[in-house]
Amino acid sequence: MDSISKEEPVQIKSSIVLSALLIVLLVGSVYISQLIFQEISQTYHIDILAARNVFSLSCFFYAISFFIYGPLSDKVSTKLLVLIGSIGAVCCLLLSVIIDNFNLYLVIMSLIGFFAAAVPAALFAYTAKNTPNHKLSQAMGIMISASIVGIIFSRSVIAMLTDFWSWQVAFAIYAGLITIVCLFVPFSIKQSSHQSSTTSVLGTYLAAIKLLFDKTVIIFLSVGFVLFFVYLGLSSLLTFYLKSAPFSLSATVLGWLNFAGLSAVIGTIITSKLLQVLNERYLLIIYLLAIGASVVTIGYSSSLFIIGLGIFSLFLFVFGLQPLVIAMLNKIVPINSRGAISSLYLLSCLAGGSIGTYLLGIVYQNMAWNGVIVICVVLAIVNLILALVGIQLIKSNHRK
């Protein structure tokens, strides 16, 4: 507890500001293609639905890399992981603007996901392991808020810069922003004082794998998977839906509409406040019901204003739920597994988002927008059932 209290003032100073900026930019680098599928398809002369693979692969490698970097964060300096991730992402962004082969472009964009994951994985794991239970939701909320701002910022800014210049210029500018922030890493990122000295790297991976044999853990990881399958899959296809008739929106208008997603930051704040008066299990169910309602609002409205409200509420409840589920998972595993379980949860969420983007794209091709919405509503109901089962398992474990 003493080590935790010593770390708290640091989060008010320059190191936490820089950490937040790095998370904003590196998480954002994975999402930069989401609103510019049409422009990418025109550059490489491919079908617009094929362009969605740029995001799907980047997000998939980003997700998988969490499991690689999560256990490594117990053995390797946070500063080193941050620099490796940032420099690797910058190099890939710069390479992507000069590649003229789409398959090679897919490889480069996948590598952006791989390198970008190093930064949030290291910082999420450190926060989870060094925060007491009563402050865990709030601490993870801060980290998730930075991730959310990164998603919103990158998609909106890249869309607007693409309309103004080109996506190549937009990517180069984004690489420049990461480079500028990286200049301050040696001065502001503190050396981690919590590296494990008794467990091998292989041991940390084996301990993480053992968590997957816990039924309660599996259920809540599944909640994250299904949640992001719906959220990211729907968000990606919303680009196609709103760019076609009757809406026919430009990338710039989509960028402005995307700012409705900043409600996600509000969601994480609301969660920490509501937990002071509501049981986390009740709040989980309320949020999942609200997510289903948001999907219906987005899917069946013909008004752009109402769709914007639906996007606002979807982000609000999806990301309001994130610190809640992460905190619940961290409370049911040993403290020395908190870094691993946080990485596993983020892996589950992002794998769900990547697979959802791909599979719902196939549904969109064959069953149009209504087919996508029906499947998303069904999955929202499935997720509610999973959560109820998970809550019952937690209650029965407490009785024991």
Side-chain angles (χ1 to χ4, degrees):
M1 187 69 75
D2 290 339
S3 62
I4 293 167
S5 62
K6 289 177 183 176
E7 292 295 333
E8 288 177 346
V10 176
Q11 295 192 353
I12 307 172
K13 299 179 183 178
S14 62
S15 59
I16 192 61
V17 173
L18 184 67
S19 296
L21 285 173
L22 285 167
I23 289 176
V24 164
L25 292 172
L26 271 300
V27 171
S29 69
V30 180
Y31 292 81
I32 55 177
S33 64
Q34 260 199 314
L35 297 185
I36 57 167
F37 290 147
Q38 186 175 44
E39 289 75 12
I40 291 172
S41 69
Q42 290 168 355
T43 298
Y44 292 102
H45 308 291
I46 57 171
D47 184 79
I48 187 170
L49 282 170
R52 79 186 189 281
N53 292 329
V54 175
F55 173 69
S56 294
L57 284 172
S58 180
C59 190
F60 179 76
F61 276 87
Y62 178 67
I64 292 297
S65 300
F66 266 95
F67 188 70
I68 297 172
Y69 292 120
L72 274 182
S73 65
D74 287 334
K75 308 295 293 183
V76 180
S77 161
T78 300
K79 186 185 295 185
L80 178 61
L81 281 178
V82 164
L83 286 173
I84 288 172
S86 300
I87 294 170
V90 166
C91 291
C92 289
L93 280 167
L94 293 176
L95 279 174
S96 72
V97 306
I98 59 173
I99 295 298
D100 57 6
N101 179 278
F102 182 67
N103 289 330
L104 191 54
Y105 180 73
L106 283 177
V107 173
I108 296 298
M109 295 302 289
S110 300
L111 287 173
I112 288 177
F114 171 77
F115 284 113
V119 175
L123 296 174
F124 267 85
Y126 181 85
T127 302
K129 290 184 69 174
N130 293 276
T131 305
N133 283 348
H134 69 281
K135 291 188 176 180
L136 199 52
S137 296
Q138 183 180 10
M140 297 311 292
I142 292 171
M143 304 296 284
I144 291 167
S145 293
S147 302
I148 297 159
V149 172
I151 295 169
I152 306 301
F153 171 81
S154 65
R155 294 193 302 191
S156 298
V157 169
I158 291 297
M160 293 173 188
L161 290 175
T162 296
D163 260 2
F164 195 73
W165 284 301
S166 68
W167 67 261
Q168 291 93 335
V169 172
F171 279 24
I173 290 172
Y174 201 89
L177 290 175
I178 297 175
T179 303
I180 291 169
V181 176
C182 276
L183 295 176
F184 297 92
V185 169
F187 311 104
S188 298
I189 296 292
K190 305 301 179 184
Q191 196 73 13
S192 176
S193 58
H194 294 274
Q195 263 76 56
S196 170
S197 57
T198 58
T199 308
S200 66
V201 173
L202 178 60
T204 60
Y205 283 110
L206 290 175
I209 292 170
K210 285 180 182 178
L211 294 173
L212 298 176
F213 292 92
D214 185 307
K215 284 191 297 184
T216 310
V217 167
I218 285 294
I219 284 176
F220 281 106
L221 292 181
S222 299
V223 168
F225 180 92
V226 175
L227 180 70
F228 268 65
F229 187 104
V230 171
Y231 152 67
L232 274 181
L234 187 61
S235 297
S236 296
L237 292 171
L238 197 58
T239 302
F240 304 143
Y241 178 60
L242 293 178
K243 278 194 170 184
S244 60
F247 300 103
S248 304
L249 301 185
S250 68
T252 297
V253 175
L254 276 174
W256 283 113
L257 185 62
N258 185 60
F259 275 111
L262 283 174
S263 63
V265 179
I266 302 170
T268 61
I269 297 169
I270 290 174
T271 296
S272 63
K273 300 296 182 184
L274 288 177
L275 283 173
Q276 297 173 14
V277 294
L278 277 177
N279 184 288
E280 60 189 9
R281 298 165 194 170
Y282 295 133
L283 196 56
L284 176 64
I285 299 305
I286 292 169
Y287 277 16
L288 287 171
L289 286 169
I291 288 165
S294 300
V295 171
V296 172
T297 301
I298 293 170
Y300 295 110
S301 176
S302 58
S303 164
L304 193 58
F305 176 74
I306 299 299
I307 291 174
L309 286 179
I311 295 170
F312 182 91
S313 63
L314 181 66
F315 275 78
L316 179 77
F317 294 112
V318 166
F319 285 96
L321 186 143
Q322 293 308 295
L324 187 61
V325 178
I326 292 178
M328 291 174 75
L329 276 168
N330 276 287
K331 289 174 185 177
I332 62 177
V333 301
I335 193 165
N336 59 357
S337 296
R338 285 188 166 183
I341 195 61
S342 295
S343 293
L344 282 172
Y345 178 71
L346 291 167
L347 165 62
S348 299
C349 289
L350 294 165
S354 176
I355 294 169
T357 302
Y358 178 75
L359 292 182
L360 288 177
I362 296 173
V363 173
Y364 185 77
Q365 281 179 301
N366 294 283
M367 301 171 63
W369 180 248
N370 285 340
V372 171
I373 297 303
V374 168
I375 289 176
C376 286
V377 170
V378 170
L379 288 175
I381 295 169
V382 169
N383 225 12
L384 183 61
I385 295 168
L386 282 172
L388 289 169
V389 173
I391 288 170
Q392 287 303 313
L393 284 173
I394 290 175
K395 286 180 179 178
S396 61
N397 288 337
H398 282 171
R399 291 191 196 106
K400 295 176 183 178

